[in-house]
Amino acid sequence: MFADEGFSGSLDHTQRPDVKELMRQARMMPKPFDVVVVHEDRAIGRKGRAFWPWVWELQDLGIFTAVVVGDYDNTTEEGESRMRKAADRAEDELIVIRNRTQGGIQEKAELLGDEGAYLGGNVPYGYRIENKGVKGESRLGPDECVCTGDCTVLHEADGVRLAAARFVATLSYEAAGDDLNRAWYRRKNGAPWDYGSVHNLLNNRVTLEALVIHRGSKDVILDREGNPRYGQPVEIKLTPILTPQELADLAAAKAKRPRRQTSKTFVYTLASRIASPCGRVYVGAGKSRQGDKHGRSPFKAMRCSGASSSVPKAKRCTCPIIRAEPVERETWRLVKKFLQDPEELHRMAVEALAKRQESGADFVGRLKGLDRRIAELEESIDLMLMAATQQAAARRLTRPEAEKYIVAMTAQSNAELADLQKQRAEIERWKEEVASVEDTAAQLQVLAQKARARLGDKTLEEQAELFDLLQTEVVIVGEVPSRPLGRPCQAGAFFIQRGLTVPHLTDEAWSRVADIVPVFSPRFPSRDILAAFLEKARTGLSWKALDVGIPHTTLMNHWIRWGAAGGLEAIMERLEGMPGTLPPDHDAVTVEVRCTVLPEALLVTPTADRNEAPETSEGSNAGEIRNRTEQPDRVAGR
């Protein structure tokens, strides 16, 4: 038995889950059934495009359709004729129903516009539906707290006030959005706040004038003359959320706010630093970052340089396009964590010169002893030269014979002197190496201390500059983050952000939370709806793709009103420690990062710290960097 509760009859069979499943089974061999029975003909579809393709495909499969009301089927010509008339009648009824419905909505808007009438559709942020389901009594009112005790739910009216107050204090839509997110406020669709959404919230007529314009959007259906088909726009007056003083402060803050400076193109921090499968490197795709009307930016992609249009078509590579943000975030996390670890930096400095000789010797004492021996030997050689010269003169040797005699007499002493001088030079070099290690280690420790303060809020441009200084090279290990998968799953994000597993809603788990789970719907058990929320978080599937026997629109509405508003917080407090599975993180990526660390290059930078004077340092160390995290395959090196 298949049902289509909650789905419009104007949708075709590919958009109705149960009918879609029926067709999947109908295509099986051998056929599981020969006839499909519907209660009434309009249940097949309210429009011809929804009615006939389904009936025809069933006929092609050798399956016929029977209608209970009227007691007929399409196995005969007479039955097909009755079905054609029924399809036309169902579409005519749809038109009549739509006209009556829209006319009633228009009349309600005109009569109750001053009372905040709710006419269906999206509810603006900050408001909720009062008297929902009561015919003629539905109104839009501020989503204020009406609890008698301690309230555990975030109310949207408070979110509007917080957004306005934070914008007045910071003059920044981004900062106001960050504060809303930190306070766990979410938009109607469960998504976090960003520049565009906060901008729209604080600049729309609902917030500023407490007005909703019925039939005022560009999507209103028009007739041939260009006029709205079902009536003229009507102003719906709502109860204001912001006081006149708050609105005045908001307007003054907007006037003072400097104009937003936004780069027209993306900043790629790792351009030409990510190795591609074909042996080349990834570069920015060069797409504009001019966002849509909501302030959202398009897909930030990187492609292999071997796929450039400048490369002949026959020689272009097939390396996949990658999403830049996950790779950039993970690389920045690894590099920042490494540069902020004094012990790891010190270990790298010591290991880089671990093979030096005499690292623990008393270089100063040895040099003094060598200097003394060298001075004594030089004095001995001088005396030997004087004696050899006198003996050569007494023997009346020629000049060449005298020089040969003197060289022979002092050869052993000169060889010994050369050995001592060579040894002294080596000890001097060893001493400098040890001093270099100590100096470099000190530099790296200073670098780590400064990195903790300096690397917190680096812009993308500053991150790219640091990657250049480090001569960073990146290799993606395993699966490449490819094209966007759509809007991130907010149910999954709840668990990912807190590092929680998604619990299985067993009988024991349900017994712990049954008393605090609200009655979501009179048609579906609350346990099934909660289980659907957890299933979405566990799988990352879209609402529409969930196969839980509940219409996806029903699940979405209850999630927005309860789950995205903080309902899972109390649930997870009671289910702490219960068995579960990790949610899928589609942004997870493993990378190998190799860098060259030159402390003097990192410490001597004019923009390193705006509050301190530039520092100078000597020495450098280019050594292997290993990031000791829970992932042993994540390595940073020279």
Side-chain angles (χ1 to χ4, degrees):
M1 182 174 178
F2 302 91
D4 260 334
E5 293 178 316
F7 290 89
S8 171
S10 63
L11 300 176
D12 62 37
H13 67 275
T14 63
Q15 299 173 291
R16 294 154 68 179
D18 272 27
V19 182
K20 190 174 180 180
E21 174 60 20
L22 184 151
M23 294 305 299
R24 187 190 69 79
Q25 295 185 24
R27 299 184 187 102
M28 296 171 60
M29 294 299 293
K31 290 184 299 183
F33 44 80
D34 298 311
V35 62
V36 174
V37 180
V38 297
H39 179 66
E40 53 185 344
D41 39 43
R42 62 182 181 181
I44 300 174
R46 285 286 193 178
K47 288 187 175 181
R49 65 183 180 185
F51 190 104
W52 288 115
W54 180 63
V55 173
W56 289 336
E57 185 175 352
L58 285 175
Q59 279 185 313
D60 293 340
L61 294 169
I63 300 174
F64 296 94
T65 307
V67 181
V68 174
V69 178
D71 189 21
Y72 71 92
D73 57 48
N74 61 346
T75 58
T76 64
E77 291 184 0
E78 181 184 358
E80 287 187 349
S81 176
R82 291 187 63 180
M83 192 165 286
R84 282 194 296 271
K85 294 175 182 178
D88 292 341
R89 186 171 62 251
E91 188 157 0
D92 291 341
E93 286 180 357
L94 176 64
I95 294 173
V96 172
I97 291 171
R98 180 177 293 164
N99 288 335
R100 288 177 178 173
T101 301
Q102 293 299 326
I105 292 174
Q106 183 72 14
E107 183 179 353
K108 182 178 179 181
E110 293 172 353
L111 292 176
L112 303 177
D114 291 340
E115 301 177 22
Y118 174 64
L119 307 174
N122 295 330
V123 179
Y125 188 84
Y127 290 85
R128 65 185 173 207
I129 305 172
E130 299 175 351
N131 302 322
K132 184 178 180 180
V134 181
K135 186 176 180 179
E137 298 294 329
S138 298
R139 301 285 189 276
L140 287 177
D143 183 18
E144 304 277 12
C145 179
V146 293
C147 304
T148 56
D150 294 335
C151 182
T152 60
V153 178
L154 296 174
H155 293 280
E156 294 180 2
D158 294 331
V160 175
R161 297 187 187 97
L162 176 60
R166 296 312 301 156
F167 178 81
V168 170
T170 63
L171 303 183
S172 169
Y173 292 112
E174 293 95 335
D178 291 341
D179 289 336
L180 283 170
N181 293 331
R182 276 192 288 269
W184 291 106
Y185 285 96
R186 292 294 184 267
R187 293 149 60 184
K188 283 286 188 182
N189 61 5
W193 293 91
D194 55 15
Y195 169 88
S197 55
V198 178
H199 181 278
N200 287 347
L201 175 66
L202 298 183
N203 288 277
N204 63 35
R205 296 189 69 178
V206 177
T207 301
L208 300 181
E209 304 175 39
L211 280 180
V212 173
I213 309 300
H214 175 59
R215 305 199 196 285
S217 75
K218 63 179 181 179
D219 299 321
V220 170
I221 299 176
L222 305 178
D223 58 21
R224 293 181 179 180
E225 287 73 30
N227 299 315
R229 179 179 296 177
Y230 300 112
Q232 295 300 317
V234 177
E235 290 186 352
I236 307 296
K237 297 181 181 180
L238 308 178
T239 302
I241 293 176
L242 299 180
T243 65
Q245 183 60 52
E246 289 173 327
L247 290 171
D249 293 342
L250 182 60
K254 291 177 184 177
K256 292 189 293 184
R257 178 178 177 271
R259 188 173 182 178
R260 188 187 189 208
Q261 299 294 327
T262 303
S263 173
K264 292 185 178 181
T265 57
F266 285 120
V267 175
Y268 293 91
T269 64
L270 295 175
S272 300
R273 301 199 173 278
I274 304 176
S276 63
C278 72
R280 294 183 176 89
V281 293
Y282 276 99
V283 296
K287 292 187 177 181
S288 169
R289 66 163 301 186
Q290 295 302 306
D292 57 18
K293 65 181 181 179
H294 301 296
R296 293 189 292 262
S297 297
F299 171 31
K300 183 180 179 181
M302 297 186 75
R303 56 170 172 76
C304 178
S305 57
S308 170
S309 58
S310 61
V311 178
K313 193 170 183 179
K315 297 183 179 180
R316 291 179 190 172
C317 70
T318 58
C319 297
I321 291 176
I322 65 174
R323 284 187 295 142
E325 290 98 332
V327 184
E328 290 177 345
R329 283 196 299 267
E330 179 63 11
T331 302
W332 178 243
R333 185 188 72 81
L334 291 177
V335 171
K336 185 169 71 169
K337 183 175 181 179
F338 172 77
L339 291 179
Q340 292 175 335
D341 188 344
E343 294 182 0
E344 187 71 6
L345 289 172
H346 182 74
R347 179 199 63 77
M348 184 200 70
V350 174
E351 287 186 0
L353 297 174
K355 295 182 181 180
R356 68 186 185 280
Q357 300 178 5
E358 303 291 341
S359 60
D362 180 10
F363 295 112
V364 176
R366 289 198 172 203
L367 288 174
K368 287 182 179 179
L370 282 174
D371 288 340
R372 184 171 60 253
R373 290 180 59 191
I374 289 172
E376 292 174 351
L377 191 54
E378 287 176 342
E379 184 178 356
S380 175
I381 291 173
D382 289 342
L383 293 175
M384 292 174 66
L385 285 172
M386 292 175 59
T389 301
Q390 291 175 357
Q391 289 179 7
R395 295 180 182 183
R396 298 178 182 277
L397 299 176
T398 62
R399 184 178 183 83
E401 291 175 339
E403 291 176 354
K404 188 176 181 179
Y405 177 74
I406 293 172
V407 169
M409 290 290 292
T410 59
Q412 184 176 355
S413 297
N414 279 323
E416 185 179 353
L417 178 62
D419 288 341
L420 291 175
Q421 289 174 334
K422 180 180 179 181
Q423 187 177 357
R424 188 188 190 286
E426 288 181 347
I427 294 175
E428 190 70 46
R429 177 170 57 82
W430 297 338
K431 177 185 176 183
E432 291 176 358
E433 287 181 356
V434 172
S436 175
V437 170
E438 295 174 352
D439 182 61
T440 301
Q443 289 182 45
L444 291 173
Q445 288 177 329
V446 172
L447 174 62
Q449 296 300 328
K450 292 186 178 295
R452 292 185 177 182
R454 295 177 178 175
L455 299 182
D457 297 314
K458 288 287 188 183
T459 64
L460 291 178
E461 291 84 354
E462 292 169 333
Q463 291 179 27
E465 183 180 356
L466 182 59
F467 289 147
D468 288 340
L469 285 172
L470 294 172
Q471 302 175 27
T472 305
E473 300 174 8
V474 179
V475 176
I476 300 175
V477 180
E479 187 176 352
V480 173
S482 56
R483 297 181 182 275
L485 301 172
R487 179 177 291 152
C489 172
Q490 294 303 313
F494 173 90
F495 294 93
I496 292 173
Q497 291 167 0
R498 295 164 177 77
L500 299 174
T501 59
V502 184
H504 301 290
L505 198 57
T506 60
D507 291 341
E508 180 185 353
W510 174 247
S511 66
R512 293 188 183 186
V513 300
D515 60 318
I516 60 172
V517 176
V519 178
F520 294 109
S521 168
R523 296 168 54 194
F524 303 101
S526 294
R527 178 174 178 174
D528 291 349
I529 293 179
L530 178 59
F533 294 158
L534 298 178
E535 179 68 11
K536 177 165 173 46
R538 187 180 297 110
T539 62
L541 294 173
S542 66
W543 293 110
K544 204 168 186 178
L546 282 176
D547 185 15
V548 293
I550 303 174
H552 71 280
T553 52
T554 299
L555 293 176
M556 288 176 60
N557 288 335
H558 291 308
W559 169 259
I560 291 171
R561 298 175 185 279
W562 180 80
L568 279 180
E569 294 282 357
I571 298 295
M572 289 309 301
E573 287 182 6
R574 294 198 180 184
L575 295 183
E576 183 178 0
M578 294 293 290
T581 57
L582 287 171
D585 186 357
H586 298 292
D587 281 344
V589 60
T590 301
V591 297
E592 289 183 354
V593 183
R594 303 183 70 83
C595 302
T596 299
V597 177
L598 301 173
E600 66 272 23
L602 296 175
L603 288 173
V604 186
T605 54
T607 60
D609 194 333
R610 297 175 184 173
N611 298 322
E612 300 180 21
E615 299 185 23
T616 60
S617 58
E618 297 178 356
S620 66
N621 184 69
E624 187 178 33
I625 309 168
R626 294 189 179 275
N627 186 18
R628 295 181 177 176
T629 64
E630 63 281 4
Q631 294 91 356
D633 57 340
R634 294 184 178 178
V635 175
R638 182 173 58 179

